[in-house]
Amino acid sequence: MARVLVVGSGAREHCLSWKLKQSEKVDVVVVVPGSGGTQKEQDSLISGDDIPDVNNFTALAVWCQENKINLVVVGPEVPLSEGIVEVMQEHGVLCFGPSSKAAEIESNKSFAKEFMIRHGIPTARYEIFTDCETACHHINTAPYRALVVKASGLAAGKGVVVAQNKMEACEAVKNMLNNGQFGVAGSTVVVEELLEGEEFSILCFSDGCHVKVMPPVQDNKRVGEGNVGANTGGMGAYCPCPQVSEQMVQFIKSEVLERAVRGLNLESRTFKGILYAGVMVTKDGVKVLEFNCRFGDPECQVILPLLETDLFSIMMSCVKGQLNTIDLQWRKNSSSVAVVICSRGYPGLYEKGKIITGLENINSSDAVIFEAGTSYDSVAGQKVTSGGRVLTIVATTKSLEKSNEKALDAARKIGFEGAFYRRDIARNGIKHLERNPNLTYDNCGVSIKKGDSLVKLISSDVRNTARPGSSPELGGFGGSFDLEKAGYKNPMLVSGTDGVGTKLLLAQKMKKCCDIGVDLVAMCANDVLTHNAESLFFLDYYACGSLTLDVAREVVSGIARGCKMAGCALIGGETAEMPGVYPTGSYDLAGFVVGAYEKGRDRPLPCLDEVIPGDVIIGVMSSGIHSNGYSLVRRVVEISGLELNDPAPFEEGKSLGESLLTPTAIYSKLLLPVLRSTNQIRAVAHITGGGIVGNLKRVLPSNMAAILDARSWPLQSVFGWIASVGNLHTDEMLKTFNCGLGLCIVTSQSSADDVIVKCNGALSSFNLKSYKVGEVVLKEDNTESVTVNHLTEMLYKSYSHKTPKLTNGTASGDHGKNRSKTSVAILISGTGSNMQALIDHSIHNECSYQVKLVISNKPNAPGLLKAQSARIPTKVINHKEFKTRELFDREVDAALTMNNIEIICLAGFMRLLSGWMVKKWRGQILNIHPSLLPLFKGIDAHKQALDAGVRISGCSVHFVVEEMDEGAIIEQGTVRVEPKDDISSLQEKIKLIEHKVFPKALDLVASGMASLHNSKNKVVWKN
C-alpha cells in the first residue's frame, strides 16, 4: 500500500486528498501545510507535526525518504516553478508535476506567449513590455483592442486585468510596472488583444509524450454575479460544459495540448503532470489565453468527482512515462458544480476567525465540502475562517441543473459572518442546454435498460406466487388469468385498489423496504375479503424519480411475499421512472387485486338488510398501526425527539422505526374459509383510513349503530404512546387509527362464539386473536353511528404500563431504583415543552440521568399527566399560595432535597427563580433558550431573530445564573432561517431541535463531562 504526500493548503489539495484516499492502492495520505479540513482528516500513521516547512524542499525530500513516501503530489504552481520536482528526483522520491523549466509555461507569461507562436498554437496578438510609457503607447496605438494586461510572473491567479477602456489598461500597466502591485511577478507585463467569446478550461494528464484529456470546465473568476468586479482565484466552476462539443475537445487536444507537450519536449522541458489550457472560443476559432502547469482551483473540485479511474494509478503512470497504458473512465451523463463561499472583502482585505456554522447540516450524498481558508479554534471548540476563499461546495448529479440546485442549497445551509458566494456559477451551461437540448430518454432520467434488468431480477419472486389460473411469466402487455381453472364457473368479480400512504417515507428513511410491499397487498386484499371474495391476482405500480435496482427488487419481493400470504398471483405491474415528479431516492406504490366469489354458492357481503339490534361485533386484532395515519405518526415522532434508530419506548427489542414499520396483517387467505362456513355473518369492515368509527359505520344500516367497549380487546402500546406524546384526543385516535382492530365482523348472537373459535384457529400462527368487542343497537336521533367506550382509559393503560427493559435488567419505567444515574427533576408550568424529550431519552442504556420528579406550579398543567403516564412522581406547589418568590422556592427546594435531586431542568417553567434558589443550586439548574445566545436574550427571541434578518438561529442550553439568559452555554443547535419564515414556523423548527439538544446537554452535565466553573461563569470540560 502506498503513502502519498500532497503539497498545498487549499480546497484543491483537500479534493486531491479525498480522491487519492479512494484508491485501493493508497494507505496513507498526508496534506502539508493543509487546511482545517485536511488537518482534521489527516492520517494518524504519520504525524503532521514532524513534517518540515513545505518551502524547504531538501528537508521535505529527506522526510519523504525517512517516512517511505511513494509519491508527492504538488497542488499549487509556486513550488513547481521553484523546483520542488527536481529536488525530489535528486533524493529518489517520485513527484507528480512538471519540472521548473516545464512549469515556465505558467510562471513566465512572456515565455508562454513566445512558445505558443513558435509552435503554432493559436493565441491572441500581444506585445511584451518592461517600460510603462512604451506599454501605454502600444495600448493607445495598437491595430487591435490591446486591453488585456497580464503580470508575466505568478500572481496567485489575480495578475490579469481585463480593462474596459485604454485608460483603465494603462492604469493597470502603471500599477504593475511602476507601483509594484505584484512585485517581481509584475516587473514584466504582457499586453494582449481583447478577444470576444466564451472562456473554458481544458485540462489533461501528461507523461511527457502522451496526453489524456479531461472533460471541459468553465470557471468564474470575477467576484460578482454576472461576471463583474475584481478578478479572484475562482468563485466556482462546473463540468462538463455542454457548450464544448466532442469535436472541439479533440481539436484542442491535437492543436493545443499535444502541440504544447511536443514543443516542450523538443525544448528539453519534458512536461509530466497536469497541463491546463485556458481557451476562448471566438468567431475565428479557439484561441489559447494561458497555460497552467497544475490543476486549477476550483476546476479540480469539479473534475475529480467525475473521474472513475483510480487517480493514484494515473499519476504514477504519468511519472513513469506510461500514461498510454491507462484508459480513463468518467461518470456518464453526470455533472459537477462547485460554489466557493468567501469571506467579506475578498479578493481584497478580509477578516479571519469567524465561526462557521451549518457544516453538520450537509449530507455527503447531496454535496461534498472541500475546505481552504479554515482552521480549528481549540478554545472555542469550533471551526473558523482563516482565508478569503473559505469553502468549496461541490454537488454531482445526473444533470447540470440539479447539481447547481444541490450545491446552492448546501451553500445556503452554511454560514459565518460576512459569508458570500455567487449563485450564477452554472448559468451559461444551463442556458445552453435550454437552447440546445441534447436529448435521450436516458439523460432525461429514464433508463429502459434498468427497467429490463428489474424484470429479470424479480422473475423468480413472481413465479413463486403462481396459483391455479395464473400464468407465471412476465414481459407481456397484460396479465391473463383463467377463472375456470381457479374453480369459478359463474363468478362475481370484486376489485380493490390502494397504496400505503406516507408509511413509505419511514421505510425510505430507514432504508428498510422489505415489508412495504406486504402492506400494499394487505390493504387491497383485506378490502376484497369484506365482500367474501377470494383474492385471485394482483398488479402493482411502482413509481420513482430514478430507478434504484436493489430498492425496487426489495419492494417487489415484498409484494410477491404479500401475494403468497393472500393467496393471489402477482401477474404483472408497471415500473415508472418519473424524474421531476419524484425526487431521486424516493418512490411511491399503488396496486390492485381482483378477487371473486361464485354466484349461487358464496354469500355476497355485506348483507345490510339482515343486520338487527343485538348482533355481535367481533373484533380481529391488528398487527399494529397497519398503513394509515402515518402523516400524524411522523409528526409525533418529531415531537418525541427520538430518532428512528432509537429503542422503541413501547416495544422491547426493536428500534422505533422497526416497530412503526410492522407490516399490515393479511387476513384474506386465513379468514375467507371462516366467512364462507356460515350464513350468519352479516358484514365485515376493514379498519383503515377513518379508523374504527369511519369504517364500521360503512357496514351498518342507517337506522343502526354500534357500541364497542375498548376493554374487550388488547390495545397495543404503540397507540398509547402516540396518544400520549402527541397529546391526541380520543376522538382523533378513533377517526385516524385502527386502535388495535384490523377487522370488525358483524354476526348473529347465535353464531358469535363459533365464529370467534374459527377465527382464532385460523389466526393462531400469526399470534392474532378475535374478541367480542361490541353490539349493534337501534340508532337514536342525533347520536353517533359508532361509539367506543373506555378508550381513553385503555390508551393510558397501554402505554403507562409499558416498562421497556434495559440491558442491565433495570426497567426504565421503574424510576428511583437505578442509583447509578444522576437524579433529575423537571419544573414545568404547562405541557412541559421539552419534558417528553428528556423522559424519552432517559430510556436509552447509555443515558446518564433518570427523571425522578416533576414539579408544577400550576395544578392543572397537562405535563403532569404525561409524567404520570411515564410513572414519574409528580408534585404541585402552587405559587399563588406563597407571599414571595423565595418562600415558594424554599418549598420547591424542600421537595427536591427530599427526593435526592441532583440536577434541575426548567421545561416551560414560567417563574423567575429567586437569587437564593439560584445561588443554592448553582451549577445544577439547566434552562433552554430559543436563540443562539448571547444573541436575542429575553422574551420574543424568535421575533428578534426575524427582525435582525439573521439566516441562522437555534437554541442554547445554559446553566442558570441570576442574570437572565447569561449563564454559561453547554450546548447549541442550529436551524436555517428561510426568507419565508414567520414567528410560528421558526418557533416550530427550533422546537424540534430543542428536543434533541436539551437531552444531550443534560447528559453532558449528568455524566460529569460538563460543569460550571467554581467562580467563573464558564463551562469546565472533562478530558
Side-chain angles (χ1 to χ4, degrees), residues 899-920:
N899 285 274
N900 299 312
I901 299 300
E902 298 166 89
I903 296 176
I904 305 167
C905 287
L906 308 182
F909 185 62
M910 308 306 291
R911 297 281 300 167
L912 288 175
L913 297 175
S914 65
W916 174 87
M917 184 72 168
V918 172
K919 287 176 184 176
K920 177 171 182 183

Side-chain angles (χ1 to χ4, degrees), residues 743-977:
L743 294 177
C744 284
I745 301 172
V746 181
T747 188
S748 66
Q749 284 186 354
S750 61
S751 66
D753 290 338
D754 182 54
V755 170
I756 288 173
V757 169
K758 289 177 178 177
C759 283
N760 289 344
L763 297 167
S764 60
S765 60
F766 286 83
N767 294 318
L768 299 176
K769 294 182 107 179
S770 59
Y771 303 87
K772 285 184 184 179
V773 298
E775 64 174 343
V776 176
V777 298
L778 281 172
K779 187 176 184 298
E780 298 180 3
D781 293 340
N782 301 318
T783 60
E784 299 293 336
S785 296
V786 178
T787 302
V788 181
N789 295 320
H790 304 291
L791 183 62
T792 303
E793 171 191 343
M794 298 313 295
L795 286 168
Y796 171 77
K797 287 182 177 179
S798 73
Y799 180 51
S800 65
H801 287 171
K802 198 71 178 173
T803 54
K805 292 182 180 178
L806 304 176
T807 55
N808 62 8
T810 304
S812 63
D814 191 8
H815 292 268
K817 293 184 180 179
N818 190 347
R819 297 171 188 261
S820 64
K821 296 190 176 187
T822 301
S823 299
V824 171
I826 302 175
L827 273 55
I828 65 172
S829 294
T831 57
S833 53
N834 287 289
M835 182 185 71
Q836 191 67 51
L838 294 172
I839 293 171
D840 288 342
H841 185 74
S842 68
I843 293 173
H844 298 193
N845 297 332
E846 65 274 17
C847 178
S848 300
Y849 67 84
Q850 60 175 1
V851 181
K852 286 187 64 176
L853 180 65
V854 172
I855 296 177
S856 172
N857 65 313
K858 294 185 178 181
N860 296 318
L864 293 170
L865 293 175
K866 291 183 181 180
Q868 291 160 7
S869 176
R871 300 182 68 190
I872 298 172
T874 60
K875 187 173 181 64
V876 176
I877 303 176
N878 194 334
H879 64 281
K880 294 181 180 180
E881 298 175 0
F882 299 88
K883 292 183 178 180
T884 67
R885 270 194 298 153
E886 185 173 320
L887 288 175
F888 169 74
D889 287 351
R890 287 183 180 274
E891 186 69 19
V892 172
D893 173 66
L896 297 171
T897 304
M898 184 179 298
N899 285 274
N900 299 312
I901 299 300
E902 298 166 89
I903 296 176
I904 305 167
C905 287
L906 308 182
F909 185 62
M910 308 306 291
R911 297 281 300 167
L912 288 175
L913 297 175
S914 65
W916 174 87
M917 184 72 168
V918 172
K919 287 176 184 176
K920 177 171 182 183
W921 287 85
R922 186 180 186 280
Q924 296 171 270
I925 309 177
L926 276 58
N927 189 30
I928 191 164
H929 184 74
S931 79
L932 293 176
L933 293 174
L935 296 175
F936 315 130
K937 300 173 185 176
I939 59 174
D940 297 332
H942 305 305
K943 183 176 184 300
Q944 292 181 57
L946 292 171
D947 289 346
V950 297
R951 300 306 307 277
I952 300 290
S953 190
C955 62
S956 306
V957 182
H958 61 92
F959 287 108
V960 174
V961 296
E962 287 193 66
E963 297 79 12
M964 181 181 289
D965 301 328
E966 290 285 353
I969 297 169
I970 306 161
E971 187 66 38
Q972 292 182 309
T974 62
V975 299
R976 189 78 182 171
V977 183

Side-chain angles (χ1 to χ4, degrees), residues 85 154 362 384 407 476 484 661 667 733 784 840 935-936 987:
V85 173
L154 296 175
I362 308 304
V384 298
E484 190 172 344
L661 288 175
Y667 305 108
M733 294 295 295
E784 299 293 336
D840 288 342
L935 296 175
F936 315 130
Q987 182 181 29

Side-chain angles (χ1 to χ4, degrees), residues 176-388:
M176 294 183 196
L177 291 178
N178 292 352
N179 300 338
Q181 181 180 11
F182 298 112
V184 176
S187 61
T188 299
V189 298
V190 176
V191 178
E192 276 188 11
E193 176 185 9
L194 176 64
L195 300 173
E196 290 185 356
E198 194 167 1
E199 289 186 43
F200 302 98
S201 304
I202 311 291
L203 288 75
C204 70
F205 293 100
S206 172
D207 65 355
C209 295
H210 311 92
V211 300
K212 297 283 186 178
V213 182
M214 304 179 205
V217 183
Q218 186 170 69
D219 75 332
N220 294 260
K221 291 292 187 187
R222 300 284 188 149
V223 71
E225 291 181 4
N227 283 319
V228 298
N231 257 359
T232 70
M235 295 296 295
Y238 64 95
C239 178
C241 303
Q243 308 95 304
V244 182
S245 66
E246 182 59 32
Q247 291 84 351
M248 187 179 293
V249 171
Q250 291 306 314
F251 174 84
I252 295 169
K253 177 187 176 186
S254 62
E255 299 303 311
V256 175
L257 297 171
E258 289 181 342
R259 278 179 182 263
V261 169
R262 281 197 306 270
L264 288 167
N265 216 353
L266 287 171
E267 297 185 10
S268 300
R269 299 170 183 267
T270 301
F271 192 101
K272 295 184 177 183
I274 302 293
L275 183 60
Y276 170 137
V279 304
M280 179 174 282
V281 181
T282 74
K283 61 183 177 60
D284 299 320
V286 172
K287 303 285 186 180
V288 177
L289 302 176
E290 64 175 354
F291 280 110
N292 291 328
C293 62
R294 37 72 197 183
F295 267 119
D297 182 346
E299 290 91 340
C300 176
Q301 293 93 294
V302 290
I303 290 173
L304 291 187
L306 299 174
L307 179 63
E308 291 187 333
T309 308
D310 179 67
L311 179 60
F312 176 76
S313 298
I314 298 171
M315 289 179 164
M316 290 297 283
S317 71
C318 288
V319 172
K320 295 178 179 181
Q322 300 171 350
L323 184 59
N324 61 319
T325 64
I326 295 285
D327 181 23
L328 264 60
Q329 297 294 324
W330 302 91
R331 285 177 60 170
K332 293 180 180 178
N333 302 321
S334 296
S335 294
S336 287
V337 174
V339 174
V340 178
I341 305 180
C342 302
S343 297
R344 181 169 51 213
Y346 176 80
L349 297 176
Y350 51 84
E351 294 182 357
K352 301 179 182 180
K354 304 301 182 183
I355 294 174
I356 303 170
T357 60
L359 294 173
E360 70 282 358
N361 296 330
I362 308 304
N363 189 315
S364 61
S365 63
D366 292 329
V368 182
I369 302 173
F370 298 118
E371 300 184 26
T374 67
S375 60
Y376 189 76
D377 186 331
S378 56
V379 176
Q382 290 179 294
K383 197 160 282 188
V384 298
T385 63
S386 63

Side-chain angles (χ1 to χ4, degrees), residues 575-598:
T575 301
E577 279 188 288
M578 293 190 282
V581 176
Y582 296 98
T584 299
S586 70
Y587 59 88
D588 199 3
L589 279 180
F592 72 89
V593 69
V594 172
Y597 62 83
E598 181 74 7

